Amino acid sequence: MEKVDVMVIGASAAGLVASTTAKHTYPDARVLVVHKDRNVLVPCGIPYVFGTVGSTDKDLLPTAKIFENAGVESRIDEVTSIDREKKVCRTRGGDEINYDKLIIATGSTPRAPGWLNGSDLENVFTVPKDKTYLDCAQLKMNDLDKVVTIGGGFIGVEFSDELKKAEKDVTLVEYLPHVLGLVFDEEIATRVEDI
């Protein structure tokens, strides 16, 4: 059985920072990152793929180089089970990895709200950190003229802005009284709405 000091599951922003920080803080530690996808997107850059950046290929984190430069090991595989008592992770590829410390940095998975009828219809998209899914969504959206964005948080506002730059007719729908209402007061939120 393989043994590591620190095991990190996930290579996006949190996994990248956790693993490189662990190695920097404990240079003698064996740090291993296990992640499913070879291509890891810059999460904050995803909305810009649909306008300014133009392609997911221009929004990739150079994880292999970052890990190599930091002295962090990485492996493309999927963790299928965690035995917390024995401190062992098993992967789809058949590896058993014993760890001293485990960091789960798998990120979030977007979902359409249960109350939203029609979320399962064609041309209704969520915003996952998945290159293949986003490439397909972008291809389909190229042929669309009108877009409705549901959610006026950072991602919804950034997506709407990028789609507008791509000359789409965009309607942004938000449940709260103002867009960005959870992060800004009314004065700032109304300025954003005016823009």
Side-chain angles (χ1 to χ4, degrees), residues 3 17 25-26 28 39 49 54 60 91-92 95 105 116 128 131 137 141 157 182:
K3 171 78 172 109
V17 171
T25 306
Y26 304 101
D28 295 332
N39 295 312
V49 165
L60 296 175
T91 70
R92 187 165 306 288
D95 294 335
L116 182 60
K131 183 181 183 330
M141 289 183 77
V157 169
L182 294 177

PDB file of all heavy atoms in Angstrom, residues 3 17 25-26 28 39 49 54 60 91-92 95 105 116 128 131 137 141 157 182:
ATOM      1  N   LYS A   3       1.976   5.092   0.746  1.00  0.00           N
ATOM      2  CA  LYS A   3       1.840   5.946   1.928  1.00  0.00           C
ATOM      3  C   LYS A   3       2.252   7.374   1.578  1.00  0.00           C
ATOM      4  O   LYS A   3       3.287   7.591   0.955  1.00  0.00           O
ATOM      5  CB  LYS A   3       2.740   5.408   3.056  1.00  0.00           C
ATOM      6  CG  LYS A   3       2.867   6.315   4.261  1.00  0.00           C
ATOM      7  CD  LYS A   3       1.645   6.225   5.158  1.00  0.00           C
ATOM      8  CE  LYS A   3       1.855   6.978   6.467  1.00  0.00           C
ATOM      9  NZ  LYS A   3       1.101   8.181   6.613  1.00  0.00           N
ATOM     10  N   VAL A  17      -3.994  25.248  -4.104  1.00  0.00           N
ATOM     11  CA  VAL A  17      -3.432  26.052  -3.019  1.00  0.00           C
ATOM     12  C   VAL A  17      -3.116  25.179  -1.809  1.00  0.00           C
ATOM     13  O   VAL A  17      -2.046  25.319  -1.195  1.00  0.00           O
ATOM     14  CB  VAL A  17      -4.388  27.200  -2.640  1.00  0.00           C
ATOM     15  CG1 VAL A  17      -3.924  27.907  -1.376  1.00  0.00           C
ATOM     16  CG2 VAL A  17      -4.498  28.193  -3.789  1.00  0.00           C
ATOM     17  N   THR A  25       5.088  24.517   3.400  1.00  0.00           N
ATOM     18  CA  THR A  25       5.166  24.550   4.861  1.00  0.00           C
ATOM     19  C   THR A  25       5.940  23.362   5.407  1.00  0.00           C
ATOM     20  O   THR A  25       6.681  23.489   6.387  1.00  0.00           O
ATOM     21  CB  THR A  25       3.751  24.583   5.463  1.00  0.00           C
ATOM     22  OG1 THR A  25       3.034  25.685   4.875  1.00  0.00           O
ATOM     23  CG2 THR A  25       3.788  24.768   6.966  1.00  0.00           C
ATOM     24  N   TYR A  26       5.767  22.209   4.791  1.00  0.00           N
ATOM     25  CA  TYR A  26       6.438  20.970   5.215  1.00  0.00           C
ATOM     26  C   TYR A  26       7.208  20.391   4.030  1.00  0.00           C
ATOM     27  O   TYR A  26       6.763  19.439   3.390  1.00  0.00           O
ATOM     28  CB  TYR A  26       5.410  19.958   5.740  1.00  0.00           C
ATOM     29  CG  TYR A  26       4.567  20.505   6.862  1.00  0.00           C
ATOM     30  CD1 TYR A  26       3.276  20.958   6.644  1.00  0.00           C
ATOM     31  CD2 TYR A  26       5.091  20.580   8.149  1.00  0.00           C
ATOM     32  CE1 TYR A  26       2.508  21.478   7.677  1.00  0.00           C
ATOM     33  CE2 TYR A  26       4.333  21.094   9.193  1.00  0.00           C
ATOM     34  CZ  TYR A  26       3.041  21.546   8.947  1.00  0.00           C
ATOM     35  OH  TYR A  26       2.292  22.067   9.977  1.00  0.00           O
ATOM     36  N   ASP A  28       9.601  18.445   3.577  1.00  0.00           N
ATOM     37  CA  ASP A  28       9.981  17.031   3.583  1.00  0.00           C
ATOM     38  C   ASP A  28       8.786  16.087   3.452  1.00  0.00           C
ATOM     39  O   ASP A  28       8.967  14.875   3.319  1.00  0.00           O
ATOM     40  CB  ASP A  28      10.762  16.695   4.855  1.00  0.00           C
ATOM     41  CG  ASP A  28      12.094  17.429   4.919  1.00  0.00           C
ATOM     42  OD1 ASP A  28      12.647  17.739   3.835  1.00  0.00           O
ATOM     43  OD2 ASP A  28      12.566  17.704   6.036  1.00  0.00           O
ATOM     44  N   ASN A  39      -7.545  18.356 -17.684  1.00  0.00           N
ATOM     45  CA  ASN A  39      -7.700  19.787 -17.938  1.00  0.00           C
ATOM     46  C   ASN A  39      -8.474  20.421 -16.793  1.00  0.00           C
ATOM     47  O   ASN A  39      -9.659  20.152 -16.614  1.00  0.00           O
ATOM     48  CB  ASN A  39      -8.448  20.019 -19.252  1.00  0.00           C
ATOM     49  CG  ASN A  39      -7.650  19.526 -20.449  1.00  0.00           C
ATOM     50  OD1 ASN A  39      -6.474  19.825 -20.570  1.00  0.00           O
ATOM     51  ND2 ASN A  39      -8.287  18.756 -21.306  1.00  0.00           N
ATOM     52  N   VAL A  49     -14.961  32.735 -20.742  1.00  0.00           N
ATOM     53  CA  VAL A  49     -14.832  31.823 -21.879  1.00  0.00           C
ATOM     54  C   VAL A  49     -15.897  32.148 -22.922  1.00  0.00           C
ATOM     55  O   VAL A  49     -15.670  32.019 -24.120  1.00  0.00           O
ATOM     56  CB  VAL A  49     -14.977  30.358 -21.390  1.00  0.00           C
ATOM     57  CG1 VAL A  49     -15.224  29.409 -22.535  1.00  0.00           C
ATOM     58  CG2 VAL A  49     -13.758  29.952 -20.589  1.00  0.00           C
ATOM     59  N   GLY A  54     -12.994  33.542 -25.010  1.00  0.00           N
ATOM     60  CA  GLY A  54     -13.422  32.866 -26.223  1.00  0.00           C
ATOM     61  C   GLY A  54     -13.296  31.360 -26.280  1.00  0.00           C
ATOM     62  O   GLY A  54     -13.852  30.741 -27.170  1.00  0.00           O
ATOM     63  N   LEU A  60      -7.220  27.365 -18.921  1.00  0.00           N
ATOM     64  CA  LEU A  60      -6.715  26.177 -18.230  1.00  0.00           C
ATOM     65  C   LEU A  60      -5.614  26.532 -17.242  1.00  0.00           C
ATOM     66  O   LEU A  60      -4.742  27.353 -17.527  1.00  0.00           O
ATOM     67  CB  LEU A  60      -6.173  25.168 -19.250  1.00  0.00           C
ATOM     68  CG  LEU A  60      -7.196  24.594 -20.224  1.00  0.00           C
ATOM     69  CD1 LEU A  60      -6.488  23.709 -21.253  1.00  0.00           C
ATOM     70  CD2 LEU A  60      -8.256  23.803 -19.492  1.00  0.00           C
ATOM     71  N   THR A  91      -8.885   4.202  -5.236  1.00  0.00           N
ATOM     72  CA  THR A  91      -9.177   4.905  -6.484  1.00  0.00           C
ATOM     73  C   THR A  91      -9.789   3.962  -7.510  1.00  0.00           C
ATOM     74  O   THR A  91      -9.683   2.742  -7.400  1.00  0.00           O
ATOM     75  CB  THR A  91      -7.888   5.521  -7.082  1.00  0.00           C
ATOM     76  OG1 THR A  91      -7.056   4.462  -7.564  1.00  0.00           O
ATOM     77  CG2 THR A  91      -7.155   6.383  -6.079  1.00  0.00           C
ATOM     78  N   ARG A  92     -10.394   4.569  -8.500  1.00  0.00           N
ATOM     79  CA  ARG A  92     -10.992   3.793  -9.587  1.00  0.00           C
ATOM     80  C   ARG A  92      -9.921   2.965 -10.299  1.00  0.00           C
ATOM     81  O   ARG A  92     -10.169   1.871 -10.760  1.00  0.00           O
ATOM     82  CB  ARG A  92     -11.685   4.729 -10.578  1.00  0.00           C
ATOM     83  CG  ARG A  92     -12.471   4.002 -11.643  1.00  0.00           C
ATOM     84  CD  ARG A  92     -13.428   4.883 -12.401  1.00  0.00           C
ATOM     85  NE  ARG A  92     -14.371   5.637 -11.600  1.00  0.00           N
ATOM     86  CZ  ARG A  92     -15.427   5.136 -10.946  1.00  0.00           C
ATOM     87  NH1 ARG A  92     -15.666   3.852 -10.995  1.00  0.00           N
ATOM     88  NH2 ARG A  92     -16.225   5.918 -10.268  1.00  0.00           N
ATOM     89  N   ASP A  95      -5.692   1.853  -6.957  1.00  0.00           N
ATOM     90  CA  ASP A  95      -4.692   2.205  -5.945  1.00  0.00           C
ATOM     91  C   ASP A  95      -5.320   2.275  -4.553  1.00  0.00           C
ATOM     92  O   ASP A  95      -6.479   2.667  -4.404  1.00  0.00           O
ATOM     93  CB  ASP A  95      -4.060   3.568  -6.259  1.00  0.00           C
ATOM     94  CG  ASP A  95      -3.246   3.555  -7.537  1.00  0.00           C
ATOM     95  OD1 ASP A  95      -2.776   2.474  -7.931  1.00  0.00           O
ATOM     96  OD2 ASP A  95      -3.083   4.635  -8.140  1.00  0.00           O
ATOM     97  N   ALA A 105     -10.891  18.634  -1.638  1.00  0.00           N
ATOM     98  CA  ALA A 105     -11.021  19.921  -2.317  1.00  0.00           C
ATOM     99  C   ALA A 105     -11.682  19.712  -3.674  1.00  0.00           C
ATOM    100  O   ALA A 105     -11.149  20.101  -4.711  1.00  0.00           O
ATOM    101  CB  ALA A 105      -9.657  20.581  -2.456  1.00  0.00           C
ATOM    102  N   LEU A 116     -37.623  25.278 -10.480  1.00  0.00           N
ATOM    103  CA  LEU A 116     -37.522  25.799 -11.844  1.00  0.00           C
ATOM    104  C   LEU A 116     -38.007  24.757 -12.845  1.00  0.00           C
ATOM    105  O   LEU A 116     -37.274  23.836 -13.209  1.00  0.00           O
ATOM    106  CB  LEU A 116     -36.072  26.196 -12.135  1.00  0.00           C
ATOM    107  CG  LEU A 116     -35.798  26.799 -13.506  1.00  0.00           C
ATOM    108  CD1 LEU A 116     -36.605  28.078 -13.712  1.00  0.00           C
ATOM    109  CD2 LEU A 116     -34.318  27.074 -13.664  1.00  0.00           C
ATOM    110  N   PRO A 128     -20.794  24.192 -14.550  1.00  0.00           N
ATOM    111  CA  PRO A 128     -19.835  23.348 -13.824  1.00  0.00           C
ATOM    112  C   PRO A 128     -18.405  23.662 -14.247  1.00  0.00           C
ATOM    113  O   PRO A 128     -18.176  24.307 -15.267  1.00  0.00           O
ATOM    114  CB  PRO A 128     -20.221  21.940 -14.276  1.00  0.00           C
ATOM    115  CG  PRO A 128     -20.695  22.152 -15.687  1.00  0.00           C
ATOM    116  CD  PRO A 128     -21.385  23.492 -15.688  1.00  0.00           C
ATOM    117  N   LYS A 131     -14.652  21.094 -18.533  1.00  0.00           N
ATOM    118  CA  LYS A 131     -14.274  21.593 -19.852  1.00  0.00           C
ATOM    119  C   LYS A 131     -15.144  21.028 -20.967  1.00  0.00           C
ATOM    120  O   LYS A 131     -15.624  21.775 -21.826  1.00  0.00           O
ATOM    121  CB  LYS A 131     -12.793  21.286 -20.118  1.00  0.00           C
ATOM    122  CG  LYS A 131     -12.290  21.839 -21.444  1.00  0.00           C
ATOM    123  CD  LYS A 131     -10.838  21.500 -21.667  1.00  0.00           C
ATOM    124  CE  LYS A 131     -10.238  22.074 -22.912  1.00  0.00           C
ATOM    125  NZ  LYS A 131     -11.077  22.285 -24.060  1.00  0.00           N
ATOM    126  N   ALA A 137     -21.691  23.474 -24.314  1.00  0.00           N
ATOM    127  CA  ALA A 137     -22.620  24.586 -24.046  1.00  0.00           C
ATOM    128  C   ALA A 137     -22.264  25.796 -24.896  1.00  0.00           C
ATOM    129  O   ALA A 137     -23.146  26.444 -25.475  1.00  0.00           O
ATOM    130  CB  ALA A 137     -22.598  24.939 -22.564  1.00  0.00           C
ATOM    131  N   MET A 141     -24.556  27.643 -27.594  1.00  0.00           N
ATOM    132  CA  MET A 141     -24.927  29.042 -27.363  1.00  0.00           C
ATOM    133  C   MET A 141     -24.515  29.952 -28.509  1.00  0.00           C
ATOM    134  O   MET A 141     -25.089  31.032 -28.677  1.00  0.00           O
ATOM    135  CB  MET A 141     -24.351  29.532 -26.042  1.00  0.00           C
ATOM    136  CG  MET A 141     -25.057  28.899 -24.856  1.00  0.00           C
ATOM    137  SD  MET A 141     -24.469  29.498 -23.284  1.00  0.00           S
ATOM    138  CE  MET A 141     -25.271  31.079 -23.237  1.00  0.00           C
ATOM    139  N   VAL A 157     -23.939  37.607 -13.051  1.00  0.00           N
ATOM    140  CA  VAL A 157     -23.643  38.936 -13.583  1.00  0.00           C
ATOM    141  C   VAL A 157     -22.494  38.862 -14.579  1.00  0.00           C
ATOM    142  O   VAL A 157     -22.557  39.456 -15.664  1.00  0.00           O
ATOM    143  CB  VAL A 157     -23.328  39.931 -12.432  1.00  0.00           C
ATOM    144  CG1 VAL A 157     -22.764  41.239 -12.982  1.00  0.00           C
ATOM    145  CG2 VAL A 157     -24.596  40.204 -11.616  1.00  0.00           C
ATOM    146  N   LEU A 182     -26.295  39.962  -2.140  1.00  0.00           N
ATOM    147  CA  LEU A 182     -25.711  39.303  -0.974  1.00  0.00           C
ATOM    148  C   LEU A 182     -24.302  39.815  -0.662  1.00  0.00           C
ATOM    149  O   LEU A 182     -23.752  39.515   0.389  1.00  0.00           O
ATOM    150  CB  LEU A 182     -25.670  37.786  -1.173  1.00  0.00           C
ATOM    151  CG  LEU A 182     -27.025  37.088  -1.249  1.00  0.00           C
ATOM    152  CD1 LEU A 182     -26.844  35.603  -1.517  1.00  0.00           C
ATOM    153  CD2 LEU A 182     -27.820  37.310   0.030  1.00  0.00           C
TER     154      LEU A 182
END
